[in-house]
Amino acid sequence: MNLKALREEVLEANLEIVRRGLVLYTFGNASGFDRERGLCVIKPSGVPYDAMMPDQLVVTDLNGKIVEGALRPSSDLPTHLALYRGFPTIGGIIHTHSRFATAWAQAGRDIPCLGTTHADYIRGPIPVTDPMPVEEIQSDYELNTGAAIVRRFANLNPIETPAILVAGHAPFCWGTTPADAAHTAVIVEEIAHMAYLTVSINAHAEPLPDHLRDKHFLRKHGSAAYYGQRKD
Amino acid sequence: MNLKALREEVLEANLEIVRRGLVLYTFGNASGFDRERGLCVIKPSGVPYDAMMPDQLVVTDLNGKIVEGALRPSSDLPTHLALYRGFPTIGGIIHTHSRFATAWAQAGRDIPCLGTTHADYIRGPIPVTDPMPVEEIQSDYELNTGAAIVRRFANLNPIETPAILVAGHAPFCWGTTPADAAHTAVIVEEIAHMAYLTVSINAHAEPLPDHLRDKHFLRKHGSAAYYGQRKD
Amino acid sequence: MNLKALREEVLEANLEIVRRGLVLYTFGNASGFDRERGLCVIKPSGVPYDAMMPDQLVVTDLNGKIVEGALRPSSDLPTHLALYRGFPTIGGIIHTHSRFATAWAQAGRDIPCLGTTHADYIRGPIPVTDPMPVEEIQSDYELNTGAAIVRRFANLNPIETPAILVAGHAPFCWGTTPADAAHTAVIVEEIAHMAYLTVSINAHAEPLPDHLRDKHFLRKHGSAAYYGQRKD
Amino acid sequence: MNLKALREEVLEANLEIVRRGLVLYTFGNASGFDRERGLCVIKPSGVPYDAMMPDQLVVTDLNGKIVEGALRPSSDLPTHLALYRGFPTIGGIIHTHSRFATAWAQAGRDIPCLGTTHADYIRGPIPVTDPMPVEEIQSDYELNTGAAIVRRFANLNPIETPAILVAGHAPFCWGTTPADAAHTAVIVEEIAHMAYLTVSINAHAEPLPDHLRDKHFLRKHGSAAYYGQRKD
């Protein structure tokens, strides 16, 4: 993949979250990462989506040094880069303030795996980060946000759990590509909405048992998957 | 009815649930059953709705053997076939993950008949299945999902109760035709939404008394119906 | 006003409630009443809105005898006529199953006047009817529904309270014209939505004090009104 | 800025709140203030938005005397003028009955700063006014509504807290320009929605700690802001 293709894929991921209603004004940002060249393509900061062109996206290296682009990158760039460093298997990241996922983040609660819609995509709860210490907020805040996410994944597999809620803030979602990350962001908002309704109906609703959760997750992921059309 | 007509009717039912907002991405599936020939027409697995053509639908016999079609059928095919075998009066089935009905399924609660909108279509609560034993999940899961639904209907009439919630999963709805099943799926989502709001306003809201429920159900169904235009 | 004009106004009121999202499929109905001639124009039963023509509307006298029209009138006609007989100042009625107002009806709760949006249109709570006795449901149900509404208004002014919730069923709204009734139906749904949210945030939210409620109601209604442009 | 430009900006702010779904029928109103000339441009009362022309807007002085315009100004004009007098740094005001913000106003609750979406725009809770005494409601009601807002800001900075909820009524939002006020009105509704969901998930959700709130507010506002593109 050359950078032109990645720029277009990142732009498309930015537009997908707009089309799906996850974005108000200039909220949110998408990025993609080219592992071979070690380069990140990310949305510029505070630019309206509807007129955004591929060449307005900003290219940086893994330390945030701008390689191409005349605009400032998203202020959340250091968070994205921390995730690309911490999760070597991912190639795209989406950050939104989508309404229901953000509400769970504000409530400081993991989204439990309450149904098969969730289990089809995520193998376990969507975790929430621990609150960040005051020093981590006052300096290098965006970098430390990424560090707080990576810390929370000490015992989690970022491919099986492709999303997190930053406490008091909002979700970050990821995938092997920017398109995959955008798809996950849409699904996470739907799961967050359904989970909201579920706990409103029954405050004591139980998570799926592990065998039902894994049945659904593995029906769609891994070597024994049998959902969809054969890719061979 | 020849299979061309049934293919078109099944495609149209698939598209109706998309138009009515019951579907995200490739979620959900519709099927139709030709009782005379013993053949089922069903949506292919994981194919986007917007480009779906009638000849992409898959035709199988009542045991799931593919009779026509180059694509894999929906992975939920065995559930559909179990319902066609178990409920001899039905000719169309819709499975969705529509948001409010799914929330009740995740909450593990029957949707009580709280008002006349519900009673106009369904004579009693929309039931939820019992949790499936681990063995039934680990092998022949989709077939056993159908069996769990049929078991739950031991004392229910599938024409008077044309929908069920699979616990922790989502609704299945049916009818005499695919169009009828799609109509029911839309109504079930509306009923689920209203019931959600109702129990939020008044956690102790009572179901309709039987005489009011039956007045509404029988105003629209059966030999004494007087809603709509005469069909003779 | 001749009947042609009233037919068009009733059709327009039917279409307005569709445009405003108060209607699913063929739910709901609008009527208008010509006091001079004693004639009611009402939607036919179970006919889709999108192809409805003025001459499909049904004209009846105050006893429900069909004067013009080839189709069956709405099955709720006897309820409408009971209201035109009981409330001599009204000229249009709308019945919907709009989602939030219906939820309050199903919850069996009056909608309290919790804010000025409500007070701008309705001087006090939106009342809910008492449950109907079994005999009134089993015979002449629609007529008795009208009687239950009129009974509930023994001490209420139908111009100051232009809407009611039929317990376990849904709202009826009215006004001096069909357009006025349709406007009220839209406002009632908005008020029901806001009241739902309000009691969810604060289960003990208090109704407006009478002086604030009346300030808003009388700012828009009656001889001292000063909202809008002068009509003279 | 001449008045023609201000008329167009006020009209555009009125239309923006319609486009964003904050307005039903003729609810709401926007105004702008020309500090140099001491003139206010405001929406006329009860006029539909879809046909509104710049020259239908009404121009008044700071005491409400009409300087230009054939129509009556919004009945809320005295509230707007009280705010322009009380908050010398503002140049645009929006009043809406947007659904979620209104629900909080009806619930009589400040909207706590539960997340960074809120903190990005508002430095602290969105306050609710104290109930107005009966005398202030019965005479000069709209003027006294403005006075109640200004009183509530005795210890608040209207640039850092650009919105208020009038108890039992609805929000007023403001900014340096009408466009800025409209932007804030949209954000306030989103914040109110997210806060509603948050307290439904967790009734004991805590406001952000001050250092996290200020980090976000000051990332976007003031001399050390680093969000968006450089304006120099």
Side-chain angles (χ1 to χ4, degrees):
Chain A
M1 178 187 283
N2 61 34
L3 282 179
K4 182 162 180 296
L6 185 58
R7 279 175 182 279
E8 280 166 8
E9 198 182 345
V10 172
L11 179 58
E12 172 59 23
N14 273 298
L15 298 179
E16 172 69 359
I17 60 173
V18 174
R19 278 193 300 262
R20 296 284 174 172
L22 272 59
V23 164
L24 181 62
Y25 292 123
T26 63
F27 289 16
N29 41 69
S31 72
F33 194 69
D34 180 329
R35 290 269 161 206
E36 208 165 305
R37 305 191 200 182
L39 295 177
C40 174
V41 174
I42 194 165
K43 173 174 172 271
S45 183
V47 169
Y49 285 94
D50 52 8
M52 201 179 289
M53 303 295 289
D55 62 8
Q56 291 184 307
L57 300 182
V58 184
V59 183
T60 77
D61 67 17
L62 203 44
N63 298 312
K65 186 169 165 255
I66 295 181
V67 172
E68 279 180 29
L71 297 172
R72 280 189 192 184
S74 165
S75 55
D76 293 318
L77 171 65
T79 313
H80 289 240
L81 295 176
L83 299 186
Y84 288 124
R85 288 190 300 262
F87 302 155
T89 52
I90 72 173
I93 297 172
I94 299 278
H95 171 51
T96 78
H97 287 212
S98 67
R99 200 174 280 152
F100 284 84
T102 299
W104 283 92
Q106 293 189 163
R109 294 265 165 98
D110 291 0
I111 303 180
C113 180
L114 294 167
T116 64
T117 318
H118 183 129
D120 282 337
Y121 292 93
I122 298 167
R123 197 176 185 178
I126 301 173
V128 64
T129 58
D130 296 319
M132 290 163 68
V134 58
E135 320 79 68
E136 294 195 5
I137 289 168
Q138 287 175 341
S139 74
D140 291 324
Y141 169 61
E142 292 82 5
L143 174 64
N144 289 325
T145 299
I149 295 172
V150 174
R151 275 201 301 268
R152 186 69 181 77
F153 270 71
N155 299 305
L156 291 170
N157 174 343
I159 293 300
E160 293 189 345
T161 303
I164 195 164
L165 308 173
V166 177
H169 188 156
F172 280 81
C173 302
W174 50 80
T176 53
T177 63
D180 187 23
H183 189 85
T184 297
V186 175
I187 296 290
V188 163
E189 181 63 4
E190 183 68 26
I191 288 171
H193 195 153
M194 287 178 174
Y196 169 80
L197 300 175
T198 304
V199 299
S200 298
I201 295 170
N202 181 356
H204 306 291
E206 289 289 326
L208 288 194
D210 288 0
H211 52 268
L212 180 52
R213 183 198 71 201
D214 284 355
K215 175 70 193 176
H216 271 264
F217 186 79
L218 298 172
R219 200 165 79 143
K220 287 193 138 184
H221 301 85
S223 57
Y226 59 95
Y227 178 90
Q229 302 302 320
R230 280 183 195 83
K231 302 290 165 51
D232 50 18
Chain B
M1 176 186 285
N2 61 33
L3 283 180
K4 181 162 180 294
L6 185 58
R7 279 175 182 280
E8 280 166 9
E9 199 183 343
V10 172
L11 178 59
E12 172 60 23
N14 273 299
L15 297 180
E16 171 69 359
I17 61 173
V18 174
R19 277 193 300 262
R20 296 284 174 172
L22 272 59
V23 163
L24 181 63
Y25 292 122
T26 62
F27 290 15
N29 42 69
S31 72
F33 194 68
D34 180 331
R35 290 268 162 207
E36 208 165 303
R37 306 192 199 179
L39 295 178
C40 174
V41 174
I42 193 163
K43 173 173 172 273
S45 183
V47 169
Y49 284 96
D50 52 8
M52 201 180 289
M53 303 295 290
D55 62 8
Q56 291 184 305
L57 301 182
V58 184
V59 183
T60 78
D61 68 17
L62 202 44
N63 298 312
K65 188 170 163 254
I66 295 180
V67 172
E68 277 179 29
L71 296 173
R72 280 189 192 185
S74 166
S75 55
D76 293 318
L77 171 66
T79 313
H80 288 241
L81 295 176
L83 299 186
Y84 288 124
R85 288 190 300 261
F87 302 155
T89 52
I90 71 173
I93 297 172
I94 300 278
H95 171 51
T96 77
H97 287 212
S98 67
R99 201 173 279 152
F100 284 84
T102 299
W104 283 93
Q106 293 189 163
R109 294 265 164 97
D110 291 1
I111 303 179
C113 180
L114 294 168
T116 65
T117 317
H118 183 130
D120 282 336
Y121 293 93
I122 298 167
R123 198 175 186 181
I126 302 173
V128 65
T129 58
D130 296 319
M132 291 164 67
V134 58
E135 320 79 68
E136 294 195 4
I137 289 167
Q138 287 174 340
S139 73
D140 292 325
Y141 169 61
E142 293 81 5
L143 174 65
N144 289 326
T145 299
I149 295 172
V150 174
R151 275 201 303 268
R152 187 67 184 78
F153 270 71
N155 299 306
L156 291 170
N157 174 343
I159 293 301
E160 293 189 347
T161 303
I164 196 164
L165 308 174
V166 177
H169 188 156
F172 280 80
C173 302
W174 50 79
T176 53
T177 62
D180 187 22
H183 189 85
T184 297
V186 175
I187 296 290
V188 163
E189 181 63 4
E190 183 69 25
I191 288 170
H193 196 153
M194 287 178 172
Y196 169 80
L197 299 176
T198 304
V199 300
S200 297
I201 295 170
N202 181 356
H204 306 290
E206 290 288 326
L208 289 193
D210 288 0
H211 52 267
L212 179 52
R213 182 197 69 200
D214 284 355
K215 175 71 193 176
H216 271 264
F217 186 79
L218 298 172
R219 198 164 82 142
K220 288 193 136 182
H221 300 85
S223 58
Y226 59 95
Y227 178 90
Q229 303 301 321
R230 280 182 195 85
K231 302 289 165 51
D232 50 18
Chain C
M1 177 186 286
N2 61 34
L3 283 180
K4 181 161 180 296
L6 185 57
R7 278 175 182 281
E8 280 166 8
E9 198 183 343
V10 172
L11 178 59
E12 172 58 24
N14 273 300
L15 297 180
E16 172 69 358
I17 60 173
V18 174
R19 275 193 301 262
R20 295 284 174 172
L22 273 58
V23 164
L24 181 63
Y25 291 122
T26 63
F27 291 15
N29 42 69
S31 73
F33 195 69
D34 180 330
R35 290 267 162 210
E36 209 164 300
R37 306 192 200 179
L39 294 177
C40 175
V41 174
I42 194 164
K43 173 173 171 276
S45 183
V47 169
Y49 284 95
D50 52 8
M52 202 180 289
M53 303 293 291
D55 62 9
Q56 291 184 306
L57 300 182
V58 184
V59 183
T60 78
D61 69 17
L62 204 43
N63 299 312
K65 186 167 164 258
I66 294 180
V67 173
E68 276 179 30
L71 296 173
R72 282 188 191 186
S74 166
S75 55
D76 293 318
L77 171 66
T79 313
H80 288 241
L81 295 176
L83 299 187
Y84 287 124
R85 288 190 300 264
F87 302 155
T89 51
I90 72 173
I93 297 172
I94 300 277
H95 171 51
T96 77
H97 287 212
S98 67
R99 199 173 281 153
F100 285 85
T102 299
W104 283 92
Q106 293 190 163
R109 295 264 164 96
D110 292 0
I111 303 179
C113 180
L114 295 168
T116 65
T117 317
H118 182 129
D120 281 336
Y121 292 93
I122 298 168
R123 198 176 186 180
I126 302 174
V128 64
T129 58
D130 296 319
M132 291 164 66
V134 58
E135 320 79 67
E136 294 195 5
I137 288 167
Q138 286 174 341
S139 73
D140 290 325
Y141 169 61
E142 292 81 6
L143 174 65
N144 289 326
T145 299
I149 294 172
V150 174
R151 276 200 302 268
R152 186 67 184 75
F153 270 72
N155 299 306
L156 291 170
N157 174 343
I159 294 300
E160 293 188 348
T161 303
I164 195 164
L165 308 173
V166 177
H169 188 156
F172 280 81
C173 302
W174 51 79
T176 53
T177 63
D180 187 23
H183 189 86
T184 297
V186 175
I187 296 290
V188 163
E189 180 63 3
E190 183 68 25
I191 289 170
H193 196 153
M194 286 178 173
Y196 169 79
L197 299 176
T198 304
V199 299
S200 297
I201 295 170
N202 181 356
H204 306 291
E206 288 288 326
L208 288 193
D210 288 1
H211 52 268
L212 180 52
R213 182 197 68 200
D214 285 356
K215 175 71 194 175
H216 271 264
F217 186 80
L218 299 171
R219 199 165 81 142
K220 287 193 137 182
H221 301 86
S223 58
Y226 59 95
Y227 178 90
Q229 302 302 321
R230 281 183 194 83
K231 303 289 167 49
D232 50 15
Chain D
M1 178 185 285
N2 62 34
L3 283 180
K4 181 161 180 298
L6 185 57
R7 279 176 182 280
E8 280 165 9
E9 198 183 345
V10 171
L11 178 59
E12 172 58 23
N14 273 299
L15 298 180
E16 172 69 358
I17 60 173
V18 175
R19 276 192 301 263
R20 295 284 175 172
L22 273 58
V23 164
L24 181 62
Y25 292 123
T26 63
F27 290 15
N29 42 70
S31 74
F33 194 69
D34 180 331
R35 289 269 159 206
E36 209 165 301
R37 306 191 199 181
L39 295 176
C40 175
V41 174
I42 193 166
K43 174 175 170 271
S45 183
V47 169
Y49 285 93
D50 52 7
M52 201 179 289
M53 302 295 291
D55 62 9
Q56 291 185 305
L57 300 182
V58 184
V59 183
T60 78
D61 68 16
L62 204 43
N63 298 312
K65 185 165 165 257
I66 294 180
V67 172
E68 278 179 30
L71 296 172
R72 280 189 192 184
S74 166
S75 55
D76 293 318
L77 171 65
T79 313
H80 288 240
L81 295 176
L83 299 186
Y84 288 124
R85 288 191 299 264
F87 302 154
T89 52
I90 72 174
I93 297 171
I94 300 278
H95 171 51
T96 77
H97 287 213
S98 66
R99 199 173 281 152
F100 285 85
T102 299
W104 282 92
Q106 294 190 162
R109 295 264 165 98
D110 292 0
I111 302 179
C113 180
L114 294 167
T116 64
T117 318
H118 182 130
D120 281 336
Y121 292 93
I122 298 167
R123 197 176 186 180
I126 302 173
V128 63
T129 59
D130 296 319
M132 291 164 66
V134 58
E135 321 79 68
E136 294 195 6
I137 288 168
Q138 287 175 341
S139 74
D140 291 325
Y141 169 61
E142 291 82 5
L143 174 64
N144 289 326
T145 299
I149 295 171
V150 174
R151 274 202 301 269
R152 186 66 182 78
F153 269 71
N155 298 306
L156 292 170
N157 174 343
I159 293 300
E160 292 189 347
T161 304
I164 196 164
L165 308 173
V166 177
H169 188 155
F172 280 81
C173 302
W174 50 79
T176 53
T177 63
D180 187 22
H183 189 85
T184 297
V186 175
I187 296 291
V188 163
E189 180 63 3
E190 183 69 25
I191 288 170
H193 196 153
M194 286 178 174
Y196 169 79
L197 299 176
T198 304
V199 299
S200 298
I201 295 170
N202 181 357
H204 306 292
E206 289 288 326
L208 288 194
D210 288 1
H211 51 268
L212 180 52
R213 182 197 68 201
D214 285 356
K215 175 70 194 176
H216 271 264
F217 186 79
L218 299 171
R219 200 165 79 142
K220 287 193 137 184
H221 301 85
S223 57
Y226 60 95
Y227 178 90
Q229 302 303 320
R230 281 182 194 85
K231 302 288 166 50
D232 50 15

